[in-house]
Amino acid sequence: MLPFKTLIVIDRNSRQPLYLQIANRFVGLIREGVLKPGLLLPSSRVLALQLELHRKTIVAAYEELVSQDWVTAIPRKGIMVASNLPVIRPRSFQTPSSPYGQGPAFSFGSIPTVALSRHETAPPGQLIINDGFPDVREAPLEAWVKESRAIIQSPRYHQLLTYGTPAGSNALRRQLIGYLTNTRGLSITPDNLMVTRGAQMAIYLAAAMLIKKGDYVIVGSPNYFFADLCFEQLGARLLRVPVDEDGIDVEAIEQLCRKHKVRMLYVVPHHHHPTTVTLSAERRMKLLHIIRTYRLAVLEDDYDFDFHYSSAPILPLASGDHGGNVIYVGSFTKSLGLSVRIGFMVAPAAFLAETARLRQLMDLRGDNLSEETLAALLADGTIERHLKKSGRLYHERRDQLAHLLRMKLGNKVQFTEPAGGMAIWVTFDPRFPLSVISGKAAAMGLRITGGEHYFYGTTPANALRFGFASLNHKELNKAVGILEKITVSFAGNSENIKFDTKKDQWKN
Amino acid sequence: MLPFKTLIVIDRNSRQPLYLQIANRFVGLIREGVLKPGLLLPSSRVLALQLELHRKTIVAAYEELVSQDWVTAIPRKGIMVASNLPVIRPRSFQTPSSPYGQGPAFSFGSIPTVALSRHETAPPGQLIINDGFPDVREAPLEAWVKESRAIIQSPRYHQLLTYGTPAGSNALRRQLIGYLTNTRGLSITPDNLMVTRGAQMAIYLAAAMLIKKGDYVIVGSPNYFFADLCFEQLGARLLRVPVDEDGIDVEAIEQLCRKHKVRMLYVVPHHHHPTTVTLSAERRMKLLHIIRTYRLAVLEDDYDFDFHYSSAPILPLASGDHGGNVIYVGSFTKSLGLSVRIGFMVAPAAFLAETARLRQLMDLRGDNLSEETLAALLADGTIERHLKKSGRLYHERRDQLAHLLRMKLGNKVQFTEPAGGMAIWVTFDPRFPLSVISGKAAAMGLRITGGEHYFYGTTPANALRFGFASLNHKELNKAVGILEKITVSFAGNSENIKFDTKKDQWKN
């Protein structure tokens, strides 16, 4: 007989009942292959003697094993390790014999992707340039947790936390209407507003409601890659329209509308992603005209409205005369730097009601505690104060990065200082390919995310969204210093190369 | 001239700069239609005198208005309310002139739905019978907030909160592997596991990866309605298979597999939703055989594993020998009663990697703070203790409800005491239609959610998932007492009607 006294180790101080400890240990032994299928186990009396336990404990353990189908009670023979039940084939933990080491035998769809890690953390001692994300060290996390605590301690908390619709908490929607009216001049009612998990979910939902396989969708070139991927995943054929220093080319949009039945336009008028350019007033006016004329469904992504330094922000298309054709999307994830992802979608009520149903199928509803917390922080002015404070900080950092780029990298890079936001779009001289620079930088303790991917589907740009918001004075200095060292070490004479602003490229 | 002294009200205690207060008030007046397009505004000198402010303040306000395109500076004439920019057409807040009062002019998809409010809150003084949800008064919210606070105060918090992948936090995935192994006997590695927003997102993601328009999907009859809706939304043709007291009919599944090219089987083996029946060991074995034979992709929804009272839980199909064909889905939302929605999906690595990409397009990633908090509470045993404690409580409540139903409703209802979970599936005598009972109950302070919808697409059942977990002793008494009063007031003689357990229906 096997040495059960050794195999079955019992912890009398454990909260777990003895019989369950024994049963669990048996399960382990069966799965590890120590106890083979068909093996007859000792009778409860014999095992009780060996383990110096009451027989009832062993009987209870065996009953547990029987009820879990690990063993079979054979009349007049005893308890046998099950041999015929597929669920209990002996296997060891994390070996190829796990069913999950085999499959799947079924086929499944594939999802377009880019090789990109956006929200990486820097290993200790490493700096990271992200593509434009707030400084999480500045995020109002203390206020957030304090408010959450206040909510759960309030007498009405269980009412707050049990109700909920896929469109989001009523309190937050009320606060958001005030916020969007005051900051963006939107004219909306609660049934025009849905709270989502970040802007990305709003983009996916709107696109999924609109796009059918084969539909034409107009996007900028370059464009926010996750939007491109999302539309392609939903079956769209992308029509790419140039983005220049005045924003997306609206004449080109109109030409496409004349030529094709266009399903949707995706546009980032304010601090375009990735290039940070802002749509000019003239083009905005023209675009609103096109939207009305062609009854064009527009998905307006205004991820970056809350940070503007050089001038007041332009008003979104959603505040203009668009005949109810603009679906407007924004986010607090980007503006607060909290790990909590809360975004929103503004749209005509009939569209939103239908979209809320889709959201319900994808993700029943949001996190009430987070939504109520944000509502309270909007109501008491915490969010407004935080946005002002971090806006001042990021303004300084933008100025500092622009200064450092001019001083240390000079004509090796080209950029236009953005009017706001959290990143500068920096185009590198083609003699300094970003793929090479990234590799060298990583070896020197600087990791660069983003860049190279923005022309997804077409020609990659040798350009980078250099996020300045998350780096303090010292870190910005260090980061640009490393880039300077790398570019200085490159061979070649930079004097003969000039940047052609019209063509947005370098020429020899 | 207009009475600007009256129209422009200034708050000298406001944090907002004076010039911005003035500019914002002007925007309001333009939008309300008080200041009409083309109107010439007073010169900065004149307005400064009127408002008793420094002229520079008025100039700054006008500059702000110009930059926002609300007014136009006309050389040698002055500042005029803009007339030509569509974005600044005067309109008042929340009137039909809002563009969102008009649209949309574009067409969009429609989403299947059921008229059902699941997570309603009871108005003060009202009781609510939900379809099986924990008692939020018992949820470990204090521990949750305390742990969140500890995380944000830890030196590594900003590292924790900035990294992240669509598959979820590494710490939580490590903890979950331990939890799933210990409780469910799963044999998996981290690349078999993704953290989602509740089980619903996991269901949607898996279905979206598998289902193409026209594909056959097998579901139980009745079935969890949000799963049905989700599959139909994705274009599936549903094949319905009966569910009896031993769970889903596996012979019928095999017949369908022979007849059709079946894309997927959705199954809830443990406390089936809605009927709470558990798949028998024999059928489970047979089903695993079918899965392997037909290489059938299975979506196993195990939303209710953590609560079992009468016996040990059965092991999921996912722990059996399924050849890597089972996608296993579960949730902490249902087991903890937190407003935080965290679920998970277990699947073969290749499938999961692709699914993570789709999740990224829908919802970049989860909420790191919540994921880290859950990881910490799993690691320190809080979750295990909470599940034990609430399991004991819900066990008592199940027994109490079963007792009350027998005592007070007698042969007017039919039910089988479930082995676990949070609801009893109660079938009412057809002389007591639930639609009528619900209406009468609401008038008596008892709201009933669920029921009637479970045969979505086929015949409605006169049955209800009577959630007992969220109601304490007094509340259960009161709820069943109200139902008793209602049924007593019904006309008709109940003696002639008997329940046919074989056909699961009442007969005269």
Side-chain angles (χ1 to χ4, degrees), chain A residues 85 89 91 98 100 107 111 119 122 159 162-163 187 263 319 321 326 354 361, chain B residues 85 89 91 98 100 107 111 119 122 159 162-163 187 200 263 285 319 321 326 354:
Chain A
L85 293 187
R89 282 242 187 106
R91 56 176 185 270
S98 160
Y100 287 108
S107 64
I111 307 293
H119 299 290
Q159 284 200 304
T162 44
Y163 87 99
S187 173
R263 194 74 198 86
S319 308
D321 185 11
V326 170
E354 207 69 35
L361 298 183
Chain B
L85 293 187
R89 282 243 188 107
R91 58 175 184 267
S98 159
Y100 287 107
S107 63
I111 307 293
H119 300 290
Q159 283 200 305
T162 43
Y163 89 99
S187 174
Q200 187 66 35
R263 195 74 199 82
M285 194 166 62
S319 307
D321 186 9
V326 170
E354 207 68 35

mmCIF file of all heavy atoms in Angstrom, chain A residues 85 89 91 98 100 107 111 119 122 159 162-163 187 263 319 321 326 354 361, chain B residues 85 89 91 98 100 107 111 119 122 159 162-163 187 200 263 285 319 321 326 354:
data_model
loop_
_atom_site.group_PDB
_atom_site.id
_atom_site.type_symbol
_atom_site.label_atom_id
_atom_site.label_comp_id
_atom_site.label_asym_id
_atom_site.label_seq_id
_atom_site.Cartn_x
_atom_site.Cartn_y
_atom_site.Cartn_z
ATOM 1 N N LEU A 85 -14.162 8.348 -16.332
ATOM 2 C CA LEU A 85 -14.676 9.701 -16.492
ATOM 3 C C LEU A 85 -13.609 10.595 -17.115
ATOM 4 O O LEU A 85 -12.553 10.798 -16.535
ATOM 5 C CB LEU A 85 -15.112 10.288 -15.147
ATOM 6 C CG LEU A 85 -16.321 9.636 -14.480
ATOM 7 C CD1 LEU A 85 -16.713 10.436 -13.252
ATOM 8 C CD2 LEU A 85 -17.477 9.517 -15.446
ATOM 9 N N ARG A 89 -9.163 12.469 -15.907
ATOM 10 C CA ARG A 89 -7.890 11.923 -16.359
ATOM 11 C C ARG A 89 -6.753 12.536 -15.552
ATOM 12 O O ARG A 89 -6.686 13.743 -15.396
ATOM 13 C CB ARG A 89 -7.678 12.303 -17.828
ATOM 14 C CG ARG A 89 -8.483 11.453 -18.781
ATOM 15 C CD ARG A 89 -7.561 10.678 -19.693
ATOM 16 N NE ARG A 89 -8.339 10.008 -20.706
ATOM 17 C CZ ARG A 89 -8.384 10.397 -21.968
ATOM 18 N NH1 ARG A 89 -7.688 11.460 -22.355
ATOM 19 N NH2 ARG A 89 -9.095 9.745 -22.825
ATOM 20 N N ARG A 91 -3.564 14.303 -14.641
ATOM 21 C CA ARG A 91 -2.674 15.208 -15.358
ATOM 22 C C ARG A 91 -1.998 16.058 -14.317
ATOM 23 O O ARG A 91 -2.496 16.259 -13.223
ATOM 24 C CB ARG A 91 -3.460 16.066 -16.337
ATOM 25 C CG ARG A 91 -4.566 16.846 -15.682
ATOM 26 C CD ARG A 91 -5.264 17.756 -16.659
ATOM 27 N NE ARG A 91 -6.230 18.546 -15.947
ATOM 28 C CZ ARG A 91 -7.495 18.195 -15.747
ATOM 29 N NH1 ARG A 91 -7.952 17.056 -16.228
ATOM 30 N NH2 ARG A 91 -8.310 18.974 -15.065
ATOM 31 N N SER A 98 -2.689 19.276 -20.037
ATOM 32 C CA SER A 98 -3.839 20.126 -19.750
ATOM 33 C C SER A 98 -4.623 20.308 -21.034
ATOM 34 O O SER A 98 -4.046 20.479 -22.105
ATOM 35 C CB SER A 98 -3.365 21.496 -19.255
ATOM 36 O OG SER A 98 -4.406 22.447 -19.418
ATOM 37 N N TYR A 100 -5.999 22.759 -21.992
ATOM 38 C CA TYR A 100 -5.687 24.070 -22.556
ATOM 39 C C TYR A 100 -4.304 24.109 -23.192
ATOM 40 O O TYR A 100 -3.919 25.102 -23.790
ATOM 41 C CB TYR A 100 -5.859 25.160 -21.495
ATOM 42 C CG TYR A 100 -7.327 25.387 -21.223
ATOM 43 C CD1 TYR A 100 -7.917 24.960 -20.036
ATOM 44 C CD2 TYR A 100 -8.121 25.982 -22.188
ATOM 45 C CE1 TYR A 100 -9.274 25.135 -19.824
ATOM 46 C CE2 TYR A 100 -9.473 26.159 -21.986
ATOM 47 C CZ TYR A 100 -10.048 25.732 -20.804
ATOM 48 O OH TYR A 100 -11.384 25.912 -20.609
ATOM 49 N N SER A 107 -12.116 26.698 -35.238
ATOM 50 C CA SER A 107 -11.510 27.865 -35.881
ATOM 51 C C SER A 107 -12.151 29.134 -35.331
ATOM 52 O O SER A 107 -13.234 29.102 -34.767
ATOM 53 C CB SER A 107 -11.723 27.793 -37.380
ATOM 54 O OG SER A 107 -13.099 27.868 -37.660
ATOM 55 N N ILE A 111 -8.039 39.207 -35.661
ATOM 56 C CA ILE A 111 -8.265 40.618 -35.386
ATOM 57 C C ILE A 111 -7.039 41.403 -35.842
ATOM 58 O O ILE A 111 -5.915 41.051 -35.488
ATOM 59 C CB ILE A 111 -8.495 40.830 -33.870
ATOM 60 C CG1 ILE A 111 -9.600 39.914 -33.353
ATOM 61 C CG2 ILE A 111 -8.783 42.280 -33.561
ATOM 62 C CD1 ILE A 111 -10.985 40.221 -33.874
ATOM 63 N N HIS A 119 0.718 51.421 -22.785
ATOM 64 C CA HIS A 119 0.719 51.878 -21.409
ATOM 65 C C HIS A 119 1.748 51.107 -20.590
ATOM 66 O O HIS A 119 1.505 50.721 -19.464
ATOM 67 C CB HIS A 119 -0.676 51.755 -20.815
ATOM 68 C CG HIS A 119 -1.656 52.582 -21.566
ATOM 69 N ND1 HIS A 119 -1.637 53.946 -21.520
ATOM 70 C CD2 HIS A 119 -2.646 52.249 -22.418
ATOM 71 C CE1 HIS A 119 -2.596 54.418 -22.291
ATOM 72 N NE2 HIS A 119 -3.224 53.410 -22.849
ATOM 73 N N ALA A 122 7.747 51.815 -17.001
ATOM 74 C CA ALA A 122 9.201 51.790 -17.158
ATOM 75 C C ALA A 122 9.781 50.908 -16.069
ATOM 76 O O ALA A 122 9.425 51.046 -14.912
ATOM 77 C CB ALA A 122 9.747 53.196 -17.029
ATOM 78 N N GLN A 159 -28.395 51.873 -2.582
ATOM 79 C CA GLN A 159 -29.287 52.261 -3.685
ATOM 80 C C GLN A 159 -28.473 52.725 -4.879
ATOM 81 O O GLN A 159 -28.744 52.371 -6.018
ATOM 82 C CB GLN A 159 -30.225 53.382 -3.235
ATOM 83 C CG GLN A 159 -31.357 52.883 -2.355
ATOM 84 C CD GLN A 159 -32.502 53.867 -2.320
ATOM 85 O OE1 GLN A 159 -32.312 55.012 -1.988
ATOM 86 N NE2 GLN A 159 -33.680 53.402 -2.670
ATOM 87 N N THR A 162 -26.785 49.630 -6.696
ATOM 88 C CA THR A 162 -27.510 48.507 -7.280
ATOM 89 C C THR A 162 -28.286 48.874 -8.533
ATOM 90 O O THR A 162 -28.473 48.053 -9.399
ATOM 91 C CB THR A 162 -28.493 47.872 -6.279
ATOM 92 O OG1 THR A 162 -29.180 48.914 -5.594
ATOM 93 C CG2 THR A 162 -27.767 46.999 -5.301
ATOM 94 N N TYR A 163 -28.742 50.118 -8.586
ATOM 95 C CA TYR A 163 -29.436 50.476 -9.816
ATOM 96 C C TYR A 163 -28.389 50.696 -10.906
ATOM 97 O O TYR A 163 -27.194 50.693 -10.645
ATOM 98 C CB TYR A 163 -30.297 51.734 -9.632
ATOM 99 C CG TYR A 163 -29.573 53.011 -9.866
ATOM 100 C CD1 TYR A 163 -29.681 53.679 -11.093
ATOM 101 C CD2 TYR A 163 -28.738 53.545 -8.895
ATOM 102 C CE1 TYR A 163 -28.999 54.846 -11.330
ATOM 103 C CE2 TYR A 163 -28.046 54.712 -9.121
ATOM 104 C CZ TYR A 163 -28.182 55.367 -10.341
ATOM 105 O OH TYR A 163 -27.492 56.519 -10.569
ATOM 106 N N SER A 187 -25.340 71.485 -26.679
ATOM 107 C CA SER A 187 -26.728 71.715 -26.283
ATOM 108 C C SER A 187 -27.440 70.368 -26.301
ATOM 109 O O SER A 187 -27.922 69.911 -27.333
ATOM 110 C CB SER A 187 -27.359 72.687 -27.285
ATOM 111 O OG SER A 187 -28.731 72.826 -27.042
ATOM 112 N N ARG A 263 -20.206 55.755 -45.522
ATOM 113 C CA ARG A 263 -20.988 55.363 -44.345
ATOM 114 C C ARG A 263 -20.715 56.263 -43.163
ATOM 115 O O ARG A 263 -21.590 56.541 -42.350
ATOM 116 C CB ARG A 263 -20.610 53.913 -43.977
ATOM 117 C CG ARG A 263 -21.549 53.269 -43.019
ATOM 118 C CD ARG A 263 -22.824 52.914 -43.746
ATOM 119 N NE ARG A 263 -23.923 52.679 -42.829
ATOM 120 C CZ ARG A 263 -24.722 53.615 -42.343
ATOM 121 N NH1 ARG A 263 -24.541 54.877 -42.671
ATOM 122 N NH2 ARG A 263 -25.704 53.316 -41.523
ATOM 123 N N SER A 319 -20.984 70.967 -31.431
ATOM 124 C CA SER A 319 -21.673 72.184 -30.993
ATOM 125 C C SER A 319 -22.197 72.987 -32.163
ATOM 126 O O SER A 319 -22.868 73.997 -31.971
ATOM 127 C CB SER A 319 -20.718 73.078 -30.193
ATOM 128 O OG SER A 319 -20.113 72.360 -29.173
ATOM 129 N N ASP A 321 -23.861 73.363 -36.307
ATOM 130 C CA ASP A 321 -25.150 73.069 -36.937
ATOM 131 C C ASP A 321 -24.982 71.865 -37.863
ATOM 132 O O ASP A 321 -24.801 72.004 -39.070
ATOM 133 C CB ASP A 321 -25.595 74.311 -37.718
ATOM 134 C CG ASP A 321 -26.988 74.128 -38.291
ATOM 135 O OD1 ASP A 321 -27.667 73.147 -37.911
ATOM 136 O OD2 ASP A 321 -27.385 74.962 -39.123
ATOM 137 N N VAL A 326 -23.658 64.312 -35.867
ATOM 138 C CA VAL A 326 -22.353 64.132 -35.234
ATOM 139 C C VAL A 326 -22.492 63.310 -33.960
ATOM 140 O O VAL A 326 -23.295 63.628 -33.080
ATOM 141 C CB VAL A 326 -21.694 65.492 -34.926
ATOM 142 C CG1 VAL A 326 -20.457 65.298 -34.062
ATOM 143 C CG2 VAL A 326 -21.311 66.205 -36.220
ATOM 144 N N GLU A 354 -30.456 52.907 -29.059
ATOM 145 C CA GLU A 354 -30.111 51.643 -29.711
ATOM 146 C C GLU A 354 -28.680 51.229 -29.322
ATOM 147 O O GLU A 354 -28.407 50.048 -29.066
ATOM 148 C CB GLU A 354 -30.221 51.833 -31.231
ATOM 149 C CG GLU A 354 -30.525 50.586 -32.002
ATOM 150 C CD GLU A 354 -31.927 50.024 -31.779
ATOM 151 O OE1 GLU A 354 -32.892 50.788 -31.589
ATOM 152 O OE2 GLU A 354 -32.046 48.797 -31.778
ATOM 153 N N LEU A 361 -25.208 44.361 -24.215
ATOM 154 C CA LEU A 361 -24.792 43.013 -24.625
ATOM 155 C C LEU A 361 -23.294 42.821 -24.448
ATOM 156 O O LEU A 361 -22.823 41.720 -24.184
ATOM 157 C CB LEU A 361 -25.181 42.753 -26.087
ATOM 158 C CG LEU A 361 -26.676 42.782 -26.396
ATOM 159 C CD1 LEU A 361 -26.911 42.443 -27.858
ATOM 160 C CD2 LEU A 361 -27.441 41.824 -25.484
ATOM 161 N N LEU B 85 -20.812 82.099 -39.290
ATOM 162 C CA LEU B 85 -20.270 80.792 -38.913
ATOM 163 C C LEU B 85 -21.395 79.900 -38.394
ATOM 164 O O LEU B 85 -22.064 80.238 -37.436
ATOM 165 C CB LEU B 85 -19.204 80.942 -37.826
ATOM 166 C CG LEU B 85 -17.922 81.647 -38.231
ATOM 167 C CD1 LEU B 85 -16.916 81.563 -37.099
ATOM 168 C CD2 LEU B 85 -17.330 81.033 -39.493
ATOM 169 N N ARG B 89 -24.637 79.730 -34.601
ATOM 170 C CA ARG B 89 -26.047 80.098 -34.706
ATOM 171 C C ARG B 89 -26.660 80.217 -33.318
ATOM 172 O O ARG B 89 -26.502 79.322 -32.496
ATOM 173 C CB ARG B 89 -26.811 78.975 -35.447
ATOM 174 C CG ARG B 89 -26.615 79.008 -36.924
ATOM 175 C CD ARG B 89 -27.940 79.269 -37.615
ATOM 176 N NE ARG B 89 -27.758 79.108 -39.049
ATOM 177 C CZ ARG B 89 -28.220 78.081 -39.733
ATOM 178 N NH1 ARG B 89 -28.913 77.133 -39.104
ATOM 179 N NH2 ARG B 89 -28.042 77.993 -41.016
ATOM 180 N N ARG B 91 -28.932 79.732 -30.326
ATOM 181 C CA ARG B 91 -29.934 78.742 -29.966
ATOM 182 C C ARG B 91 -29.986 78.701 -28.451
ATOM 183 O O ARG B 91 -29.045 79.100 -27.773
ATOM 184 C CB ARG B 91 -29.559 77.371 -30.525
ATOM 185 C CG ARG B 91 -28.213 76.889 -30.049
ATOM 186 C CD ARG B 91 -27.919 75.496 -30.525
ATOM 187 N NE ARG B 91 -26.656 75.067 -29.963
ATOM 188 C CZ ARG B 91 -25.507 75.205 -30.583
ATOM 189 N NH1 ARG B 91 -25.417 75.751 -31.780
ATOM 190 N NH2 ARG B 91 -24.388 74.800 -29.998
ATOM 191 N N SER B 98 -31.501 72.617 -30.905
ATOM 192 C CA SER B 98 -30.244 71.901 -30.724
ATOM 193 C C SER B 98 -30.089 70.890 -31.856
ATOM 194 O O SER B 98 -31.069 70.238 -32.240
ATOM 195 C CB SER B 98 -30.252 71.164 -29.394
ATOM 196 O OG SER B 98 -29.302 70.116 -29.404
ATOM 197 N N TYR B 100 -28.979 68.150 -31.697
ATOM 198 C CA TYR B 100 -29.310 66.825 -31.185
ATOM 199 C C TYR B 100 -30.813 66.634 -31.012
ATOM 200 O O TYR B 100 -31.280 65.562 -30.667
ATOM 201 C CB TYR B 100 -28.543 66.542 -29.903
ATOM 202 C CG TYR B 100 -27.093 66.285 -30.220
ATOM 203 C CD1 TYR B 100 -26.105 67.215 -29.926
ATOM 204 C CD2 TYR B 100 -26.722 65.134 -30.896
ATOM 205 C CE1 TYR B 100 -24.783 66.993 -30.274
ATOM 206 C CE2 TYR B 100 -25.408 64.899 -31.242
ATOM 207 C CZ TYR B 100 -24.440 65.834 -30.928
ATOM 208 O OH TYR B 100 -23.144 65.601 -31.292
ATOM 209 N N SER B 107 -28.691 56.373 -41.211
ATOM 210 C CA SER B 107 -29.333 55.163 -40.710
ATOM 211 C C SER B 107 -28.345 54.373 -39.862
ATOM 212 O O SER B 107 -27.142 54.570 -39.959
ATOM 213 C CB SER B 107 -29.796 54.316 -41.891
ATOM 214 O OG SER B 107 -28.676 53.919 -42.638
ATOM 215 N N ILE B 111 -30.674 46.706 -32.479
ATOM 216 C CA ILE B 111 -30.144 45.692 -31.576
ATOM 217 C C ILE B 111 -31.315 44.985 -30.914
ATOM 218 O O ILE B 111 -32.201 45.637 -30.383
ATOM 219 C CB ILE B 111 -29.264 46.369 -30.495
ATOM 220 C CG1 ILE B 111 -28.189 47.252 -31.148
ATOM 221 C CG2 ILE B 111 -28.639 45.348 -29.561
ATOM 222 C CD1 ILE B 111 -27.140 46.518 -31.919
ATOM 223 N N HIS B 119 -31.233 45.686 -12.767
ATOM 224 C CA HIS B 119 -30.562 46.152 -11.555
ATOM 225 C C HIS B 119 -31.228 47.392 -11.004
ATOM 226 O O HIS B 119 -30.593 48.324 -10.591
ATOM 227 C CB HIS B 119 -29.089 46.385 -11.845
ATOM 228 C CG HIS B 119 -28.407 45.143 -12.292
ATOM 229 N ND1 HIS B 119 -28.175 44.097 -11.439
ATOM 230 C CD2 HIS B 119 -27.949 44.760 -13.491
ATOM 231 C CE1 HIS B 119 -27.582 43.117 -12.105
ATOM 232 N NE2 HIS B 119 -27.439 43.485 -13.355
ATOM 233 N N ALA B 122 -34.896 49.793 -5.520
ATOM 234 C CA ALA B 122 -36.256 49.923 -4.999
ATOM 235 C C ALA B 122 -36.449 51.346 -4.495
ATOM 236 O O ALA B 122 -35.612 51.853 -3.768
ATOM 237 C CB ALA B 122 -36.467 48.927 -3.871
ATOM 238 N N GLN B 159 3.551 52.746 -10.969
ATOM 239 C CA GLN B 159 3.929 51.653 -11.889
ATOM 240 C C GLN B 159 2.750 50.714 -12.093
ATOM 241 O O GLN B 159 2.444 50.313 -13.211
ATOM 242 C CB GLN B 159 5.116 50.879 -11.339
ATOM 243 C CG GLN B 159 6.439 51.622 -11.515
ATOM 244 C CD GLN B 159 7.606 50.673 -11.427
ATOM 245 O OE1 GLN B 159 7.733 49.958 -10.448
ATOM 246 N NE2 GLN B 159 8.448 50.658 -12.444
ATOM 247 N N THR B 162 0.002 52.396 -14.444
ATOM 248 C CA THR B 162 0.234 52.844 -15.811
ATOM 249 C C THR B 162 0.428 51.698 -16.791
ATOM 250 O O THR B 162 0.107 51.817 -17.950
ATOM 251 C CB THR B 162 1.453 53.777 -15.911
ATOM 252 O OG1 THR B 162 2.503 53.229 -15.122
ATOM 253 C CG2 THR B 162 1.096 55.151 -15.403
ATOM 254 N N TYR B 163 0.985 50.606 -16.319
ATOM 255 C CA TYR B 163 1.125 49.501 -17.257
ATOM 256 C C TYR B 163 -0.220 48.841 -17.422
ATOM 257 O O TYR B 163 -1.165 49.147 -16.688
ATOM 258 C CB TYR B 163 2.173 48.493 -16.772
ATOM 259 C CG TYR B 163 1.615 47.426 -15.883
ATOM 260 C CD1 TYR B 163 1.319 46.176 -16.396
ATOM 261 C CD2 TYR B 163 1.359 47.675 -14.545
ATOM 262 C CE1 TYR B 163 0.792 45.205 -15.578
ATOM 263 C CE2 TYR B 163 0.832 46.704 -13.727
ATOM 264 C CZ TYR B 163 0.547 45.467 -14.249
ATOM 265 O OH TYR B 163 0.027 44.500 -13.440
ATOM 266 N N SER B 187 -6.601 23.512 -15.010
ATOM 267 C CA SER B 187 -5.163 23.352 -15.209
ATOM 268 C C SER B 187 -4.727 24.329 -16.293
ATOM 269 O O SER B 187 -4.824 24.041 -17.478
ATOM 270 C CB SER B 187 -4.901 21.909 -15.623
ATOM 271 O OG SER B 187 -3.543 21.738 -15.965
ATOM 272 N N GLN B 200 -20.323 39.189 -18.807
ATOM 273 C CA GLN B 200 -21.007 39.567 -20.036
ATOM 274 C C GLN B 200 -20.008 39.928 -21.139
ATOM 275 O O GLN B 200 -20.176 39.530 -22.290
ATOM 276 C CB GLN B 200 -21.960 40.744 -19.783
ATOM 277 C CG GLN B 200 -22.851 41.109 -20.964
ATOM 278 C CD GLN B 200 -23.852 40.015 -21.316
ATOM 279 O OE1 GLN B 200 -24.358 39.331 -20.440
ATOM 280 N NE2 GLN B 200 -24.126 39.849 -22.601
ATOM 281 N N ARG B 263 -21.605 25.953 -34.928
ATOM 282 C CA ARG B 263 -20.458 26.824 -34.678
ATOM 283 C C ARG B 263 -20.064 26.833 -33.216
ATOM 284 O O ARG B 263 -18.897 26.920 -32.858
ATOM 285 C CB ARG B 263 -20.852 28.255 -35.094
ATOM 286 C CG ARG B 263 -19.693 29.196 -35.222
ATOM 287 C CD ARG B 263 -18.940 28.870 -36.484
ATOM 288 N NE ARG B 263 -17.602 29.405 -36.491
ATOM 289 C CZ ARG B 263 -16.556 28.837 -35.911
ATOM 290 N NH1 ARG B 263 -16.670 27.707 -35.275
ATOM 291 N NH2 ARG B 263 -15.366 29.396 -35.985
ATOM 292 N N MET B 285 -20.263 13.805 -18.732
ATOM 293 C CA MET B 285 -19.316 12.885 -19.358
ATOM 294 C C MET B 285 -19.638 12.738 -20.844
ATOM 295 O O MET B 285 -18.766 12.821 -21.702
ATOM 296 C CB MET B 285 -19.458 11.545 -18.646
ATOM 297 C CG MET B 285 -18.382 10.558 -18.890
ATOM 298 S SD MET B 285 -18.516 9.227 -17.657
ATOM 299 C CE MET B 285 -20.137 8.548 -18.009
ATOM 300 N N SER B 319 -12.594 21.806 -16.710
ATOM 301 C CA SER B 319 -11.612 20.984 -15.997
ATOM 302 C C SER B 319 -11.533 19.584 -16.572
ATOM 303 O O SER B 319 -10.710 18.783 -16.134
ATOM 304 C CB SER B 319 -11.995 20.870 -14.517
ATOM 305 O OG SER B 319 -12.199 22.123 -13.956
ATOM 306 N N ASP B 321 -11.749 16.678 -19.959
ATOM 307 C CA ASP B 321 -10.921 16.355 -21.120
ATOM 308 C C ASP B 321 -11.656 16.807 -22.386
ATOM 309 O O ASP B 321 -12.309 16.022 -23.059
ATOM 310 C CB ASP B 321 -10.685 14.846 -21.157
ATOM 311 C CG ASP B 321 -9.711 14.467 -22.260
ATOM 312 O OD1 ASP B 321 -9.101 15.381 -22.856
ATOM 313 O OD2 ASP B 321 -9.581 13.261 -22.524
ATOM 314 N N VAL B 326 -13.110 24.181 -24.787
ATOM 315 C CA VAL B 326 -14.029 24.887 -23.891
ATOM 316 C C VAL B 326 -13.481 26.271 -23.539
ATOM 317 O O VAL B 326 -12.350 26.413 -23.089
ATOM 318 C CB VAL B 326 -14.288 24.069 -22.603
ATOM 319 C CG1 VAL B 326 -15.048 24.903 -21.575
ATOM 320 C CG2 VAL B 326 -15.077 22.809 -22.939
ATOM 321 N N GLU B 354 -5.822 36.272 -29.604
ATOM 322 C CA GLU B 354 -6.600 36.964 -30.640
ATOM 323 C C GLU B 354 -7.768 37.719 -29.995
ATOM 324 O O GLU B 354 -8.059 38.855 -30.382
ATOM 325 C CB GLU B 354 -7.124 35.916 -31.630
ATOM 326 C CG GLU B 354 -7.377 36.402 -33.021
ATOM 327 C CD GLU B 354 -6.123 36.788 -33.800
ATOM 328 O OE1 GLU B 354 -5.064 36.151 -33.636
ATOM 329 O OE2 GLU B 354 -6.210 37.756 -34.571
#
